[in-house]
Amino acid sequence: DVKVTQSSRYLVKRTGEKVFLECVQDMDHENMFWYRQDPGLGLRLIYFSYDVKMKEKGDIPEGYSVSREKKERFSLILESASTNQTSMYLCASSSQGPRYEQYFGPGTRLTVT
Amino acid sequence: AQSVSQHNHHVILSEAASLELGCNYSYGGTVNLFWYVQYPGQHLQLLLKYFSGDPLVKGIKGFEAEFIKSKFSFNLRKPSVQWSDTAEYFCAVNAPGGGNKLTFGTGTQLKVEL
């Protein structure tokens, strides 16, 4: 079974802190994604990566950056956390090709105070 | 802007009732369509998908969806829901030229009452 793990289930940070969210997949997938999930807004794509060191902006990249140094690991970075970044963050991975499903991690509930 | 619409935000049904959740997308051309489900406290997981061929696709747990190209729709159905179907359901579209990116709808929260 594909497994996508995220470093924390719950995280509480203060405004202005630098926040790292880590995601690891064990299926040698080329693609990895970061979404945020908010009630009434569904999932919105922040960034995705289709190869090591490659990244593309999604629909809401402002305030975020990403890093992919190894194929299995994709990190989301909040350079200076703000209260409007309080959300559920979901990581996903998939094989290359638009017909492959995405496999999701359990999510990280981030609260910025 | 290209989008995916789920018109039913909250649905409450009794067990054994039939379910239909709407999904419409605004992309032209060939699309790949997905329904994902998120049970309480669990990961988002794939329910079913459509790429080509028979427009009626069957997924896990008795769910099915029909692709109607002329209506830009991909509605999810189940003839008889169970309490365990209580979950949030998301429609997603992989648009032409979008690579592996998915655009998700806003989700439908389904509650099935005993």
Side-chain angles (χ1 to χ4, degrees), chain A residues 34-98:
Chain A
W34 275 107
Y35 296 90
R36 63 178 282 175
Q37 182 180 8
D38 300 288
L41 297 177
L43 276 73
R44 294 178 291 167
L45 182 64
I46 304 170
Y47 268 97
F48 71 101
S49 168
Y50 50 90
D51 202 351
V52 175
K53 297 191 185 294
M54 306 302 286
K55 62 186 180 185
E56 280 196 28
K57 293 180 180 179
D59 300 317
I60 52 165
E62 297 78 18
Y64 303 94
S65 62
V66 290
S67 173
R68 194 167 180 200
E69 297 296 319
K70 293 184 178 182
K71 190 174 185 180
E72 68 271 17
R73 190 179 297 270
F74 192 36
S75 302
L76 180 70
I77 304 153
L78 287 66
E79 295 290 343
S80 178
S82 64
T83 54
N84 62 13
Q85 292 177 309
T86 292
S87 186
M88 172 69 86
Y89 290 87
L90 298 180
C91 176
S93 71
S94 75
S95 293
Q96 200 67 269

Side-chain angles (χ1 to χ4, degrees), chain A residues 4 9 31 33 35 37 40-43 45 48 57 90 94-102 104-106, chain B residues 32 34 36 38 41-46 49 51-52 88 90 94 98-107:
Chain A
V4 179
R9 290 302 303 271
N31 300 311
F33 307 84
Y35 296 90
Q37 182 180 8
L41 297 177
L43 276 73
L45 182 64
F48 71 101
K57 293 180 180 179
L90 298 180
S94 75
S95 293
Q96 200 67 269
R99 297 186 171 188
Y100 287 100
E101 70 178 277
Q102 293 184 16
F104 285 83
Chain B
N32 301 309
F34 303 80
Y36 283 82
Q38 189 172 34
Q42 295 190 25
H43 302 197
L44 208 66
Q45 59 185 282
L46 183 70
K49 57 189 177 184
F51 301 137
S52 63
E88 190 159 19
F90 294 92
N94 173 262
N100 285 89
K101 289 193 295 183
L102 290 178
T103 299
F104 283 83
T106 53

